[in-house]
Amino acid sequence: MSQTAKSTKDRILDAANKLFYGEGIRAVSVDAIADAAKVTKRTLYYHFESKDQLIEGYLASRDQPNLALFAQWFDAAEGSIAEKTAAIFYRVGENARHPKWKGCGFLRTAAELANMPGHPAVAVGAAHKKKFEAWLTERYAAAGLTNPAAVARSIVLLMDGAFSTILIHRDPEYAIAAGDTARAIIVREMDASE
Amino acid sequence: MSQTAKSTKDRILDAANKLFYGEGIRAVSVDAIADAAKVTKRTLYYHFESKDQLIEGYLASRDQPNLALFAQWFDAAEGSIAEKTAAIFYRVGENARHPKWKGCGFLRTAAELANMPGHPAVAVGAAHKKKFEAWLTERYAAAGLTNPAAVARSIVLLMDGAFSTILIHRDPEYAIAAGDTARAIIVREMDASE
DNA sequence: TCTATTACACTCACTAGTCGGTATACATAT
DNA sequence: ATATGTATACCGACTAGTGAGTGTAATAGA
């Protein structure tokens, strides 16, 4: 438990993050992650029972940072909740320009593990998405929208749609379209709530 | 090229469809597909140069049938283009209740091959999505919407969002929410175009 | 003879997971 | 102080199996 530099477990998780996100879960071997973390495989298996648990750990480690980033983008944006929501989409679009961007890790993991619906990593991903939806609902409720949950659901659909379409087309423009659509939905809802 | 029953190539493609879609691309071996098609691996490699080409063939074989199905659902629905569009979403939701439903094969393949952006199978998937978007644009233009392309783009974002969220949550309700959102977008656009 | 198919052994790299053992730290008992 | 016990953290080498793709020889039909 020494705090000097990084713990072995964190180094393994960092390597898992980089490789699982960058290459895909089934495309990356446990050996590759052990190598990248500069540990032997035996040590990796000391900290994680199985590859499946490592996958779960990888997604769990992205949960909070990801939500925090979205909240930060939202808070940093000027204007109404419509503008703040659109800002998240535009930021996603900016990020998608980086060559290392490979879509949403939670969605991609669910896609890869579609044949194992009960997999713990998929549960972590689903919980993450639910948290994001709940967070949006709160914001919209606080802003006085009459149907905060319905609006939040429309927005998460657009967001996951943006992740997917940007990935398949390799075209960040879809983030702009999704953000514009999101803004229009919220603006209309704001007018109706007046 | 005998039309009696099914050609060997079609049997291989059918097996690839079933296994790649059901289990995932990297989770399924060439041997497994050969076995399911009741062909030797040698025969499979007579018809396809590599696993990558087989993956491409699998997606290519789903392109037209998938588009035709969506068009059929659209045409069969009563009402305005708003209702017809919503109907596609509701049908997707119904299909998602089947235990064998595993999301959108094109999207899942793009997710699995995110580390190989130039992969021919990803290109086939992207082209498929573009065709769907173009088909929607035509329909909206024919119905007299002033911004058919923008509306079509919003709809495909919702559609791919629905595929993704239904898959991660295993909850077809998201199809209803996406369909309702789609309808509202088009209705507003119809009002504006009057 | 050309196309399509089978049988099946084979290569070679890779894969998840394990065996047995070591170094260190920090107790408690002597 | 020294020996002993116990838990943590780590490693090199290994197993048993799977992966994509090939080599070769033989066969059935047009």
Coordinates of all heavy atoms in Angstrom, one line a residue, chain C residues 24-30, chain D residues 2-7:
Chain C
dT24 P 15.0 -8.9 -0.1 OP1 15.7 -7.8 -0.7 OP2 15.6 -9.9 0.8 O5' 13.7 -8.3 0.7 C5' 12.6 -7.7 -0.1 C4' 11.4 -7.5 0.9 O4' 10.7 -8.8 1.1 C3' 11.8 -7.0 2.2 O3' 11.2 -5.7 2.4 C2' 11.2 -8.0 3.2 C1' 10.2 -8.7 2.4 N1 9.8 -10.1 2.8 C2 8.5 -10.4 3.1 O2 7.6 -9.5 3.1 N3 8.2 -11.7 3.5 C4 9.1 -12.7 3.5 O4 8.8 -13.8 3.8 C5 10.5 -12.4 3.2 C7 11.5 -13.4 3.2 C6 10.7 -11.1 2.8
dA25 P 11.5 -4.8 3.7 OP1 11.5 -3.4 3.2 OP2 12.6 -5.4 4.5 O5' 10.1 -5.1 4.5 C5' 8.9 -4.9 3.9 C4' 7.8 -5.3 5.0 O4' 7.7 -6.7 5.0 C3' 8.1 -4.8 6.4 O3' 6.9 -4.2 6.9 C2' 8.5 -6.1 7.1 C1' 7.7 -7.1 6.4 N9 8.3 -8.5 6.4 C8 9.6 -8.8 6.3 N7 9.8 -10.1 6.4 C5 8.5 -10.7 6.7 C6 8.1 -12.0 6.9 N6 8.9 -13.0 6.9 N1 6.7 -12.1 7.2 C2 5.9 -11.1 7.2 N3 6.3 -9.8 7.0 C4 7.6 -9.7 6.7
dC26 P 7.1 -3.3 8.3 OP1 6.9 -1.9 7.9 OP2 8.2 -3.7 9.1 O5' 5.7 -3.7 9.1 C5' 4.9 -4.8 8.6 C4' 4.6 -5.8 9.6 O4' 5.4 -7.0 9.4 C3' 5.0 -5.4 11.1 O3' 3.9 -5.7 11.9 C2' 6.2 -6.2 11.4 C1' 5.9 -7.5 10.6 N1 7.0 -8.4 10.4 C2 6.7 -9.8 10.5 O2 5.6 -10.2 10.7 N3 7.7 -10.7 10.3 C4 9.0 -10.3 10.0 N4 9.9 -11.2 9.8 C5 9.3 -8.9 10.0 C6 8.3 -8.0 10.2
dA27 P 3.5 -4.8 13.2 OP1 2.7 -3.7 12.6 OP2 4.8 -4.5 13.9 O5' 2.6 -5.7 14.1 C5' 3.3 -6.6 15.0 C4' 2.9 -8.0 14.7 O4' 3.8 -8.5 13.8 C3' 3.0 -8.9 16.0 O3' 1.7 -9.1 16.5 C2' 3.6 -10.2 15.5 C1' 4.2 -9.8 14.1 N9 5.6 -9.9 14.0 C8 6.5 -8.8 13.9 N7 7.7 -9.2 13.8 C5 7.7 -10.6 13.8 C6 8.7 -11.5 13.8 N6 10.0 -11.2 13.6 N1 8.4 -12.8 13.9 C2 7.1 -13.1 14.0 N3 6.0 -12.3 14.1 C4 6.4 -11.0 14.0
dT28 P 1.4 -8.9 18.1 OP1 0.0 -8.9 18.4 OP2 2.3 -7.9 18.7 O5' 2.0 -10.4 18.6 C5' 1.5 -11.6 18.0 C4' 2.5 -12.7 18.3 O4' 3.7 -12.5 17.7 C3' 2.8 -12.9 19.8 O3' 2.5 -14.2 20.2 C2' 4.3 -12.6 19.9 C1' 4.8 -12.9 18.5 N1 6.0 -12.2 18.1 C2 7.1 -12.9 17.8 O2 7.2 -14.1 17.9 N3 8.2 -12.1 17.4 C4 8.3 -10.7 17.3 O4 9.3 -10.2 17.0 C5 7.1 -10.0 17.7 C7 7.0 -8.5 17.6 C6 6.0 -10.8 18.1
dA29 P 2.5 -14.7 21.7 OP1 1.3 -15.6 21.9 OP2 2.7 -13.5 22.6 O5' 3.8 -15.6 21.8 C5' 4.0 -16.6 20.8 C4' 5.3 -17.2 20.9 O4' 6.4 -16.3 20.4 C3' 5.7 -17.5 22.4 O3' 6.4 -18.8 22.4 C2' 6.6 -16.4 22.8 C1' 7.3 -16.1 21.4 N9 7.8 -14.7 21.3 C8 7.0 -13.6 21.5 N7 7.7 -12.4 21.3 C5 8.9 -12.9 20.8 C6 10.1 -12.2 20.3 N6 10.2 -10.9 20.3 N1 11.1 -13.0 19.9 C2 11.0 -14.3 20.0 N3 10.0 -15.0 20.4 C4 9.0 -14.3 20.8
dT30 P 6.8 -19.5 23.9 OP1 6.5 -21.0 23.7 OP2 6.1 -18.7 25.0 O5' 8.3 -19.3 23.9 C5' 9.1 -19.8 22.8 C4' 10.5 -19.3 22.9 O4' 10.6 -17.8 22.7 C3' 11.2 -19.5 24.3 O3' 12.4 -20.2 24.1 C2' 11.5 -18.1 24.8 C1' 11.6 -17.3 23.5 N1 11.3 -15.8 23.7 C2 12.2 -14.9 23.2 O2 13.3 -15.2 22.8 N3 11.8 -13.6 23.4 C4 10.6 -13.1 23.9 O4 10.4 -11.9 24.0 C5 9.7 -14.1 24.3 C7 8.4 -13.7 24.9 C6 10.0 -15.4 24.2
Chain D
dT2 P 20.9 -10.7 17.7 OP1 22.3 -11.3 17.7 OP2 20.5 -9.8 16.6 O5' 19.9 -11.9 17.9 C5' 20.0 -12.8 18.9 C4' 19.0 -14.0 18.7 O4' 17.7 -13.5 19.1 C3' 18.9 -14.4 17.2 O3' 18.8 -15.8 17.1 C2' 17.5 -13.8 16.7 C1' 16.7 -13.8 18.0 N1 15.6 -12.8 18.2 C2 14.4 -13.2 18.7 O2 14.2 -14.4 19.1 N3 13.5 -12.2 18.8 C4 13.6 -10.9 18.4 O4 12.7 -10.1 18.6 C5 14.9 -10.6 17.8 C7 15.1 -9.1 17.3 C6 15.8 -11.5 17.7
dA3 P 19.1 -16.6 15.8 OP1 20.2 -17.5 16.1 OP2 19.1 -15.6 14.7 O5' 17.7 -17.4 15.7 C5' 17.4 -18.3 16.8 C4' 15.9 -18.5 16.8 O4' 15.2 -17.2 17.0 C3' 15.3 -19.1 15.5 O3' 14.6 -20.3 15.8 C2' 14.4 -18.0 14.9 C1' 14.0 -17.2 16.1 N9 13.7 -15.8 15.9 C8 14.5 -14.8 15.3 N7 14.0 -13.7 15.2 C5 12.7 -13.8 15.7 C6 11.6 -13.0 15.9 N6 11.6 -11.7 15.6 N1 10.4 -13.5 16.4 C2 10.4 -14.8 16.8 N3 11.4 -15.7 16.7 C4 12.5 -15.2 16.1
dT4 P 14.1 -21.3 14.7 OP1 14.3 -22.7 15.3 OP2 14.8 -20.9 13.5 O5' 12.6 -21.0 14.6 C5' 11.8 -20.9 15.8 C4' 10.4 -20.3 15.4 O4' 10.5 -18.9 15.3 C3' 9.8 -20.9 14.1 O3' 8.6 -21.5 14.4 C2' 9.7 -19.6 13.2 C1' 9.7 -18.5 14.3 N1 10.1 -17.2 13.7 C2 9.3 -16.1 13.8 O2 8.2 -16.1 14.3 N3 9.9 -14.9 13.3 C4 11.1 -14.8 12.8 O4 11.5 -13.7 12.4 C5 11.9 -16.0 12.7 C7 13.3 -15.9 12.0 C6 11.4 -17.1 13.1
dG5 P 7.7 -22.2 13.3 OP1 7.1 -23.4 14.0 OP2 8.6 -22.3 12.1 O5' 6.6 -21.1 13.1 C5' 5.9 -20.5 14.2 C4' 4.9 -19.5 13.7 O4' 5.6 -18.2 13.3 C3' 4.1 -19.9 12.4 O3' 2.8 -19.6 12.6 C2' 4.8 -19.1 11.3 C1' 5.2 -17.8 12.0 N9 6.4 -17.2 11.4 C8 7.6 -17.8 11.1 N7 8.5 -16.9 10.6 C5 7.8 -15.7 10.7 C6 8.3 -14.4 10.3 O6 9.4 -14.1 9.8 N1 7.3 -13.4 10.5 C2 6.0 -13.7 11.0 N2 5.2 -12.6 11.2 N3 5.6 -14.9 11.4 C4 6.5 -15.8 11.2
dT6 P 1.6 -20.1 11.6 OP1 0.5 -20.5 12.4 OP2 2.3 -21.1 10.7 O5' 1.3 -18.8 10.8 C5' 1.1 -17.6 11.5 C4' 1.0 -16.4 10.5 O4' 2.3 -15.9 10.1 C3' 0.3 -16.9 9.1 O3' -0.7 -15.9 8.8 C2' 1.5 -16.9 8.2 C1' 2.3 -15.7 8.7 N1 3.8 -15.8 8.3 C2 4.4 -14.6 8.0 O2 3.8 -13.5 8.1 N3 5.7 -14.7 7.7 C4 6.4 -15.8 7.5 O4 7.6 -15.8 7.2 C5 5.7 -17.0 7.8 C7 6.4 -18.4 7.7 C6 4.4 -17.0 8.2
dA7 P -1.8 -16.3 7.8 OP1 -3.1 -16.4 8.6 OP2 -1.4 -17.4 6.9 O5' -1.9 -14.9 6.9 C5' -1.8 -13.6 7.6 C4' -1.2 -12.7 6.6 O4' 0.3 -12.8 6.5 C3' -1.7 -12.8 5.1 O3' -2.3 -11.6 4.7 C2' -0.5 -13.2 4.3 C1' 0.7 -12.7 5.1 N9 1.9 -13.6 5.0 C8 2.0 -14.9 5.0 N7 3.2 -15.4 4.8 C5 3.9 -14.2 4.6 C6 5.3 -14.0 4.3 N6 6.1 -15.0 4.2 N1 5.7 -12.8 4.1 C2 4.8 -11.8 4.2 N3 3.5 -11.8 4.5 C4 3.1 -13.1 4.6

